[in-house]
Amino acid sequence: MNRPRTRYLPCLRWLKDYDRRTAGQDALAALVMTLLLIPQSLAYAMLAGLPPVTGLYASILPLIAYALFGTSHTLAVGPVAIVSLMVAASLGPIATAGTAAYTGAALLLALLSGLVLLAMSVLRLGFLANFLSHPVISGFISASGLLIALNQLQHLLGVDSHGNNVLELLQSLLPALPATHLPTLAIGASSLVLLHLMRHRGAAWLARLGLAPRMAQQLARSGPIIALVGSIAVVTFWRLDEAGVRVVGHIPSGLPPLTLPPLEPELIRQLLPAAVLVALVGFVQSISVAQSMAARRRQRIDLDQELAALGSANIAAALSGGLPVSGGFARTAIGQDAGAQTPMSSAMTAIGSAIVLLLFVPLLHNLPQAVLAATIIVAVLGLVDLKAVRKTWRYSRQDGAAMLATLAGVLLIGIESGILLGVGLSLLLFLWRTRRPHIAVVGQLPGSEHFRNVERFHVVASQSVLSVRVDENLYFPNARYLEERILELVARHPRTRHLVLMCSGINLIDASALDSLEAIDERLRSAGIALHLSEVKGPVLDRLQRTDFLERLSGQLFVSQFEALRTLDPDTTRSALERTPPA
């Protein structure tokens, strides 16, 4: 009776066992995550071209929505750098940053992304995330990190620049370098150094002072808060905002207003392709984080329910003045290290963000934009992994090419074009790679019932029975190659009277491949050769039995390759069993 409810409301599973001890652990984790979320939310909203308060708005209702519907106990949802960059890239051609039209378009993008995720959940399309291969995602993240860092240099230098790719940004930034504002550069550079040192060496330094390793690690991650408080104090004391240092300025106090995005048909049409990409990239990033964290706790993640949870979170962001959200690795890792036990920690983090909006936002007036830029740069450069390009290329040139294409596409063309280029090339390379499957002639290992490639092992091969193993699914790109390869092998073995197709590596035979098998059977029959199948997997056999192929097959169907050879050439089988295996 309760099963459907817990399926669609996973929170009911952990709420029934929720106790005071778990609540205390969640509250501590929520406090740590709230402190981290404040500078990150402001920074990522600025990266998206939106008012800083938008980031705080996106850190309340979306977190509560995910806590209700999500299956991960520790995933921290909120604004993230890559999604924010995609928002800026998607909205730039449509409206001017800072205008009401731009903000409205951002709300609509969040709504559309949420609806796309919900539709994918209803249709159980979580598997679509697999089309974004790891090399493509890795190339996309590295390129996005570099693009984000370059984009934030303008705030670090106190100049203006714009662009959707590296070339445009450099063409805009380089002429502006002589106008660098030195006080802004000093604040930004010192924040950058502080954040970098705290991130990479802070824990070791604090541990040398006698702090426990876990406490030292937690304090080292407070670098953004230290930079935030210190820079506000410096700007306020020396009145650097009057000297030209750009600050966040006025942030409206109070809870986010409930809003409805502009539902203009033309704007929906323009934003829908971007919404699909934002939804898919956000989902892949969230699932990657959630699954890695769940594995540590031996918990299970429901992909289709996660689609619903993230969709609900994005719809909540759209209705509360926020921007598209996703799961963030840094916040999730910090929350888990701080002791987060259940999604209640996210709900408590939302309460912390609401308290900040109600009571403390006036204190953020003099927060320099350069500090937020430094926060973003340090965060995203940690995601850049250019060494992976060389490693992937050495392992697989096809995957390496897809990674390089994505990397170059994002940097030189733009976010959407780059990721579409990577996905498209991955699919093309997959078709290219599988168009010529590995097909091996196999023989019996002496003293055993096993069969191996005649070119790699010392085996006993029958003169009258040609055993051929196919190590790939059979479908339209490689069906014709299978015909050509089989006929070529038969021509090389003129004494063949039986050909056994060993199907242990085949999980699929589509209609095109079935036609090819029928053609192969007919050609072999006309040459006086019978076609047999062995080790056909159950699902493949079920599909073949729906046709008349097996009834018309010139040969037989065998459970194992050993049974096939023992039936068709018992002398060779007996001879192989009697031989001593090579040392």
Side-chain angles (χ1 to χ4, degrees):
M1 187 77 179
N2 292 331
R3 190 173 177 181
R5 288 194 302 169
T6 58
R7 176 183 176 184
Y8 297 112
L9 280 175
C11 60
L12 298 178
R13 300 174 193 164
W14 52 265
L15 276 175
K16 64 180 181 180
D17 299 321
Y18 203 71
D19 54 25
R20 184 178 299 178
R21 178 177 175 274
T22 306
Q25 292 175 307
D26 283 341
L28 177 60
L31 176 62
V32 174
M33 285 193 291
T34 301
L35 293 176
L36 176 69
L37 195 60
I38 295 170
Q40 280 194 348
S41 298
L42 298 172
Y44 294 153
M46 185 178 73
L47 174 61
L50 294 164
V53 72
T54 307
L56 293 176
Y57 289 166
S59 304
I60 300 179
L61 288 186
L63 276 65
I64 295 175
Y66 183 82
L68 291 173
F69 301 109
T71 59
S72 172
H73 284 207
T74 55
L75 183 67
V77 170
V80 296
I82 291 175
V83 171
S84 295
L85 180 63
M86 295 183 71
V87 170
S90 302
L91 302 186
I94 296 175
T96 302
T99 63
Y102 190 95
T103 302
L107 296 179
L108 181 58
L109 183 60
L111 177 64
L112 292 175
S113 299
L115 293 175
V116 168
L117 289 165
L118 283 182
M120 291 174 64
S121 175
V122 172
L123 298 174
R124 306 186 71 81
L125 298 179
F127 70 90
L128 287 179
N130 297 329
F131 284 99
L132 291 176
S133 65
H134 187 304
V136 169
I137 288 294
S138 178
F140 170 70
I141 290 176
S142 293
S144 298
L146 293 172
L147 201 60
I148 291 170
L150 186 60
N151 181 273
Q152 292 306 297
L153 287 181
Q154 59 175 319
H155 301 294
L156 213 63
L157 302 173
V159 300
D160 292 318
S161 68
H162 59 275
N164 294 321
N165 55 58
V166 169
L167 298 178
E168 292 177 358
L169 285 170
L170 289 176
Q171 288 175 354
S172 177
L173 185 63
L174 293 177
L177 288 180
T180 298
H181 190 253
L182 294 181
T184 300
L185 177 60
I187 292 174
S190 58
S191 299
L192 204 59
V193 171
L194 171 66
L195 293 172
H196 176 78
L197 292 177
M198 290 292 287
R199 184 185 183 97
H200 295 284
R201 300 183 183 180
W205 289 345
L206 292 171
R208 290 174 188 170
L209 297 176
L211 292 178
R214 184 172 180 179
M215 179 63 70
Q217 193 173 27
Q218 293 292 345
L219 289 177
R221 287 171 170 164
S222 64
I225 297 297
I226 296 173
L228 182 148
V229 174
S231 63
I232 290 176
V234 169
V235 170
T236 303
F237 184 79
W238 277 289
R239 297 183 180 179
L240 295 179
D241 55 326
E242 298 177 4
V245 173
R246 299 175 185 176
V247 296
V248 169
H250 173 69
I251 299 177
S253 299
L255 296 177
L258 294 180
T259 58
L260 188 65
L263 303 177
E264 301 172 9
E266 178 60 23
L267 188 58
I268 292 174
R269 185 192 65 79
Q270 289 178 296
L271 289 178
L272 189 56
V276 172
L277 278 179
V278 168
L280 195 56
V281 170
F283 173 61
V284 171
Q285 177 173 339
S286 299
I287 289 302
S288 300
V289 176
Q291 288 182 330
S292 63
M293 295 300 173
R296 300 180 186 180
R297 299 190 178 193
R298 299 186 179 182
Q299 295 170 345
R300 178 178 173 272
I301 300 297
D302 185 332
L303 294 183
D304 293 314
Q305 183 59 32
E306 284 298 296
L307 283 168
L310 292 169
S312 302
N314 277 281
I315 292 174
L319 299 179
S320 58
L323 69 155
V325 297
S326 177
F329 182 81
R331 286 195 303 274
T332 302
I334 289 173
Q336 180 155 301
D337 289 346
Q341 298 297 312
T342 71
M344 184 62 77
S345 60
S346 290
M348 292 178 176
T349 302
I351 294 173
S353 299
I355 293 173
V356 171
L357 272 169
L358 288 171
L359 303 177
F360 299 110
V361 288
L363 300 178
L364 301 175
H365 183 281
N366 285 342
L367 174 60
Q369 293 183 9
V371 173
L372 297 181
T375 302
I376 293 174
I377 290 173
V378 171
V380 298
L381 287 183
L383 302 175
V384 176
D385 184 11
L386 297 180
K387 293 181 180 179
V389 177
R390 181 182 178 186
K391 178 182 177 182
T392 304
W393 179 267
R394 291 178 61 184
Y395 181 76
S396 168
R397 291 194 174 183
Q398 289 89 350
D399 288 335
M403 181 183 286
L404 283 172
T406 307
L407 191 71
V410 171
L411 290 176
L412 301 178
I413 305 174
I415 294 291
E416 289 90 351
S417 300
I419 195 168
L420 288 176
L421 181 63
V423 172
L425 187 58
S426 291
L427 294 177
L428 286 175
L429 289 173
F430 171 76
L431 295 175
W432 175 267
R433 187 166 54 237
T434 57
R435 87 195 193 285
R436 301 183 67 177
H438 181 255
I439 298 177
V441 175
V442 298
Q444 186 176 351
L445 286 173
S448 77
E449 298 180 2
H450 301 294
F451 288 77
R452 293 293 184 270
N453 191 333
V454 297
E455 296 180 0
R456 294 178 179 270
F457 294 87
H458 296 287
V459 296
V460 178
S462 170
Q463 296 297 314
S464 61
V465 179
L466 181 61
S467 300
V468 179
R469 189 187 69 218
V470 180
D471 297 327
E472 184 62 75
N473 294 333
L474 299 180
Y475 68 129
F476 66 94
N478 59 32
R480 186 60 57 86
Y481 174 75
L482 176 68
E483 294 183 44
E484 297 172 355
R485 181 64 174 154
I486 291 294
L487 296 177
E488 177 188 341
L489 290 174
V490 169
R492 291 183 184 178
H493 299 79
R495 298 172 61 181
T496 298
R497 293 294 173 264
H498 301 275
L499 189 144
V500 183
L501 198 63
M502 187 175 176
C503 303
S504 56
I506 300 175
N507 298 307
L508 169 71
I509 299 177
D510 74 355
S512 298
L514 180 60
D515 289 341
S516 291
L517 287 176
E518 292 175 344
I520 290 170
D521 187 34
E522 289 296 328
R523 293 188 182 185
L524 293 179
R525 190 198 303 267
S526 64
I529 301 173
L531 174 65
H532 309 267
L533 303 181
S534 73
E535 302 186 13
V536 182
K537 293 185 176 179
V540 177
L541 183 60
D542 291 341
R543 297 186 67 174
L544 291 177
Q545 288 175 338
R546 299 174 197 165
T547 71
D548 61 353
F549 172 73
L550 296 178
E551 297 174 4
R552 297 167 53 189
L553 186 66
S554 58
Q556 303 178 51
L557 190 68
F558 296 100
V559 174
S560 68
Q561 185 66 24
F562 177 76
E563 179 190 348
L565 193 61
R566 183 175 59 180
T567 302
L568 301 174
D569 189 357
D571 293 338
T572 299
T573 303
R574 190 181 311 110
S575 172
L577 289 175
E578 292 173 353
R579 291 190 186 185
T580 304

